[in-house]
Amino acid sequence: MKIGYPCINQSLDCTSSRTFRLASYSEERLIETVAMNLACLQRILEYNVKHGLLFLRMTSGLVPFASHEINQYNWQEHFKAEFQQLGKYIKANHMRISMHPDQFVVLNSPNPNTVKNSIAELVYQGSIMDLMELDTTAKLQIHGGGAYGDKGSAIDRFAEVYHTMLPDAVKARLCVENDDRTYTLLDCLRLHELTGIPIIFDNLHHECVNNGEPMREAVEIAASTWEPDRDGILMMDYSAQAPAERKGKHVQSISEQLFHDFLAETEGLDMDIMLEIKDKEASALKALEVAKALDRL
DNA sequence: CGCGGTCAAGTGGCT
DNA sequence: AGCCACTTGACCGCG
């Protein structure tokens, strides 16, 4: 079991998702920003290795406007050595990596332009992992998308786009995660049957909407969609509901008791856990201790 | 130098 | 009808 937190480290004085406005786009600005982002990513990796946090979600913002048509620059070539170095460090330290394309990536949108932009974004994020020379256990994590009043055909459309439009490099890394209102675990299972992609399980989303599966059973179902040789072990997102806030909102800080209960419930199951908790590495470090005490690492 | 409106992109539930 | 939440706030113009 590896544990991690997404994108941002709050104890370092740098961010790997520096950006700028489209209006101020220039190649110079792009190169300068990417260089700073990659340097910060290296620092985050070092922090994580030092603290035993071996699961990292990289920000989608490493290369600003990477999939936007304004960007015609060959940043892949320019930063080839840097990406390779980062990948080398990741592999040498046996880290697990994911990326989570944002809400604009919708493969089953009725709008062809949205689908096109989504694919371009997936190609970009997958190419980061390819440039790092990571194997296919490094994953791209998206949601099912919209339902548009007819989830059945939306699911079919997802599968059709998968089979007819996605490059192999993206297919090999793509995963689907249950969301907090539309695509339940069972809907994701249907997508898995149609495409073979593994399911990333999110416990909080499952609490928001489900088909009655108890937590342990849900984790087992998701885990069964991962082919160990190709995909590695199950990845999951762990969070808890922020008290007295809107449904689905993530807590500020981890409850060690709740996390302990979750691990107890899933005893004997192996998985890598991404903590979607607002205070980032602070909670990840606490979670690490809880997992250590239960001898799960 | 700090504040706050705004930023490439989508969707749906809640107020 | 608009706001808010979502994997992550960060930028930049203005006072």
Side-chain angles (χ1 to χ4, degrees), chain A residues 192-206:
Chain A
H192 165 72
E193 287 162 5
L194 293 172
T195 62
I197 64 176
I199 300 174
I200 292 186
F201 180 69
D202 186 307
N203 75 304
L204 176 58
H205 293 167
H206 187 69

Side-chain angles (χ1 to χ4, degrees), chain A residues 10 57 71 96 131 147 169 189 195 204 215 233 247 256 291:
Chain A
Q10 297 182 329
R57 180 182 296 163
N71 187 347
R96 189 88 186 270
L131 286 163
L189 201 56
T195 62
L204 176 58
M215 197 54 78
I233 63 169
K247 188 169 101 169
E256 286 156 289

Side-chain angles (χ1 to χ4, degrees), chain A residues 231-292:
Chain A
D231 304 318
I233 63 169
L234 171 71
M235 281 182 180
M236 71 162 286
D237 291 347
Y238 175 88
S239 192
Q241 173 68 41
E245 292 273 9
R246 225 180 120 134
K247 188 169 101 169
K249 183 156 176 177
H250 296 148
V251 275
Q252 181 61 34
S253 190
I254 196 169
S255 153
E256 286 156 289
Q257 183 62 55
L258 284 179
F259 186 63
H260 178 280
D261 294 348
F262 178 82
L263 289 187
E265 205 169 346
T266 57
E267 194 188 352
L269 306 178
D270 201 9
M271 65 195 100
D272 290 332
I273 302 184
M274 181 58 57
L275 296 167
E276 295 187 335
I277 297 192
K278 299 287 183 193
D279 70 0
K280 307 288 174 190
E281 76 277 6
S283 281
L285 292 170
K286 291 181 191 166
L288 203 57
E289 290 308 309
V290 174
K292 206 176 284 175

Side-chain angles (χ1 to χ4, degrees), chain A residues 16 23 104 129 157 161 166 218 224 234 249 256:
Chain A
S16 58
F104 309 110
M129 293 171 169
R157 212 156 53 238
V161 168
L166 286 186
S224 74
L234 171 71
K249 183 156 176 177
E256 286 156 289

Side-chain angles (χ1 to χ4, degrees), chain A residues 26-57:
Chain A
S26 71
E27 260 174 29
E28 201 175 24
R29 189 77 191 268
L30 179 77
I31 292 166
E32 170 190 288
T33 306
V34 174
M36 285 191 289
N37 285 344
L38 296 185
C40 184
L41 179 58
Q42 177 63 33
R43 289 184 60 199
I44 293 174
L45 290 171
E46 285 166 11
Y47 176 99
N48 290 1
V49 167
K50 187 176 163 196
H51 291 86
L53 297 168
L54 297 180
F55 186 19
L56 178 73
R57 180 182 296 163

